[in-house]
Amino acid sequence: MENNKQDLMRCIQNKFHRLSKGQKRIAEYILKHYDKAAFLTADKLGNSVGVSESTVVRFASELGFSGYPKLQKSLQELIKNKLTTVQRIELSNDFMTQESALKGVLRADMENIRATLEKINHQTFEDVVNSLFKARKIYIIGLRGSSALAEFLAFYLNLILDNVKVVAYGVSDIFEQMLNIDEQDMLIGIGFPRYATRTVEALAFARSKKANIVAITDSLLSPLATNANYTLIAQSNITSFVDSLVAPLSVINALIIAVGLREKEKISKTFSTLEDIWEEYNVYSLKDRDEKYPV
């Protein structure tokens, strides 16, 4: 079951007649409230329907899962792109109070980074770095919540490679900005649930032009991964109305640093020139601050 793409809801319906009385109550709850069940522990799910935690565990086993966490993950995959912002607010209210927000968010972000470290393919990462140096032009697209990630990646890559362009909403349409993309170019698409339709379409368009596609997303099942030559997985939880971008940003940081390590001499010259410009035009106010607030 864990590796089967069979629809989970249909599986529950097909096996419903074989379930015990308590397991049927769990099945009915999941069928009606799968968006909430996806984020309940076995104990809390049992309490919600009036059965024991062990009954919940046996229910997961009856469906073919090795344990309840696997069933829970399957439910989360099922609903991750369907939750509205309002539903996500309701879920975050269930899981976090004002007092626990700091610890809860930090712990969730730590878990996202840990999971990313386990899931990301290191060879794919190296292949992406190599491809960046071969590309004539590098297009980067990340819309809505992912726009900050796209801008961050483009800003630093452009200091090193000089051939980076951000594709974003503006005066011209997204497809017009990619009009001349071809097999010599690369498009990096960044997107997490809920996936922006225009990002998915942009990757499909670039693929039709035979461009090299890199997706930075949360799963190989992501619609961004469908058209990608390379997919870099970064965990992003959805138990809040705010996306967790810590792990994706770490992956992007790693990309920038990996590219920079191969262009040390160029980076040194670039930043030496920039330091002179920053000082001449007073870009940073460190000197003024030191004069006003001497140690």
Side-chain angles (χ1 to χ4, degrees):
M1 176 65 188
E2 291 170 22
N3 296 317
N4 197 323
K5 293 183 179 179
Q6 179 183 9
D7 181 78
L8 178 58
M9 294 303 166
R10 186 178 297 277
C11 175
I12 293 174
Q13 291 171 335
N14 290 341
K15 294 191 175 185
F16 188 83
H17 67 283
R18 294 164 43 187
L19 302 176
S20 67
K21 184 177 180 181
Q23 290 173 349
K24 286 180 178 179
R25 291 162 69 178
I26 300 170
E28 289 172 347
Y29 183 87
I30 290 177
L31 290 172
K32 292 179 181 177
H33 308 290
Y34 63 92
D35 55 337
K36 293 184 178 180
F39 299 97
L40 294 177
T41 63
D43 180 54
K44 288 185 177 180
L45 178 56
N47 289 336
S48 297
V49 299
V51 301
S52 66
E53 181 178 355
S54 60
T55 301
V56 176
V57 174
R58 285 195 295 273
F59 171 77
S61 178
E62 184 66 31
L63 294 183
F65 293 93
S66 60
Y68 177 73
K70 295 294 185 180
L71 169 59
Q72 186 180 42
K73 182 178 179 181
S74 184
L75 282 168
Q76 291 174 357
E77 288 292 329
L78 176 69
I79 57 100
K80 65 165 53 176
N81 198 35
K82 297 179 181 179
L83 286 180
T84 65
T85 302
V86 173
Q87 288 172 318
R88 292 170 72 170
I89 291 174
E90 291 175 352
L91 286 172
S92 65
N93 288 340
D94 290 340
F95 278 83
M96 293 184 189
T97 64
Q98 190 71 32
E99 292 75 17
S100 69
L102 177 61
K103 288 183 179 179
V105 170
L106 291 179
R107 285 172 179 164
D109 283 337
M110 289 169 62
E111 172 59 23
N112 283 334
I113 291 179
R114 184 200 62 76
T116 297
L117 191 58
E118 291 181 357
K119 292 179 180 180
I120 197 165
N121 187 302
H122 294 261
Q123 184 56 56
T124 300
F125 181 86
E126 290 300 319
D127 291 341
V128 170
V129 174
N130 291 332
S131 297
L132 284 167
F133 285 99
K134 296 175 183 177
R136 177 186 62 186
K137 192 165 188 176
I138 301 167
Y139 297 83
I140 301 176
I141 183 169
L143 304 176
R144 303 188 66 80
S146 297
S147 60
L149 295 174
E151 292 285 351
F152 183 88
L153 176 59
F155 175 79
Y156 282 101
L157 278 187
N158 222 16
L159 292 176
I160 307 170
L161 300 176
D162 299 327
N163 61 343
V164 180
K165 173 184 175 62
V166 174
V167 179
Y169 293 122
V171 176
S172 59
D173 187 80
I174 282 172
F175 300 111
E176 292 172 4
Q177 297 173 52
M178 300 166 52
L179 186 62
N180 297 316
I181 194 170
D182 62 25
E183 68 274 4
Q184 299 181 66
D185 303 316
M186 171 185 282
L187 174 63
I188 301 177
I190 307 172
F192 298 86
R194 304 159 74 189
Y195 309 102
T197 302
R198 254 318 186 240
T199 300
V200 177
E201 292 173 341
L203 266 64
F205 173 78
R207 186 62 180 265
S208 72
K209 298 294 185 178
K210 298 181 170 37
N212 201 12
I213 313 294
V214 176
I216 301 177
T217 188
D218 64 310
S219 167
L220 290 173
L221 299 177
S222 161
L224 276 73
T226 303
N227 288 297
N229 301 98
Y230 305 105
T231 300
L232 295 176
I233 303 298
Q235 182 99 343
S236 176
N237 72 26
I238 58 168
T239 54
S240 169
F241 61 94
V242 178
D243 293 322
S244 174
L245 300 180
V246 172
L249 185 58
S250 289
V251 172
I252 286 171
N253 272 336
L255 268 181
I256 295 167
I257 291 172
V259 171
L261 288 173
R262 299 192 188 182
E263 294 285 347
K264 288 182 180 179
E265 186 175 342
K266 181 178 181 181
I267 288 179
S268 180
K269 290 180 180 179
T270 298
F271 278 96
S272 178
T273 302
L274 284 172
E275 286 291 349
D276 292 337
I277 295 172
W278 293 337
E279 183 174 354
E280 181 179 354
Y281 292 96
N282 197 28
V283 173
Y284 296 110
S285 60
L286 180 60
K287 185 178 295 185
D288 291 339
R289 191 171 70 242
D290 289 343
E291 291 173 356
K292 292 178 182 179
Y293 307 106
V295 179

